[in-house]
Amino acid sequence: MDYQFDLRALRRANGYSAREMAELLGVHTNTYRNWEKKPKTITVSYAFKIANILNVSIEDIFLRECSTKC
């Protein structure tokens, strides 16, 4: 499982669209979509906000083992 899938899957599991997440975070929708593609570009403060919105820990999003090349 790669990071892109984790963040997108967690968002969807919580019933949010990318646009809704962007609005909750106060960023442009394209910014949020880029974060799903490249989560290493998310700042720590936004990472905490995302984890809080999705009701998970930062580790659940960003520190999972990858089964494919990350």
Side-chain angles (χ1 to χ4, degrees):
M1 186 179 315
D2 66 23
Y3 291 121
Q4 177 182 354
F5 177 79
D6 288 347
L7 186 52
R8 185 184 316 144
L10 287 168
R11 171 182 55 79
R12 289 179 175 173
N14 280 274
Y16 293 110
S17 69
R19 182 179 180 184
E20 290 169 326
M21 283 296 293
E23 289 175 2
L24 290 169
L25 294 164
V27 298
H28 193 278
T29 303
N30 288 341
T31 299
Y32 180 78
R33 287 184 180 144
N34 286 335
W35 288 345
E36 285 192 349
K37 294 176 186 172
K38 298 177 185 176
K40 292 182 180 183
T41 63
I42 302 171
T43 64
V44 172
S45 62
Y46 279 113
F48 276 105
K49 289 177 184 180
I50 291 168
N52 186 47
I53 291 167
L54 299 178
N55 198 31
V56 296
S57 71
I58 294 224
E59 291 84 3
D60 289 333
I61 299 171
F62 302 103
L63 299 179
R64 287 187 180 177
E65 288 289 322
C66 293
S67 61
T68 60
K69 189 175 182 179
C70 296

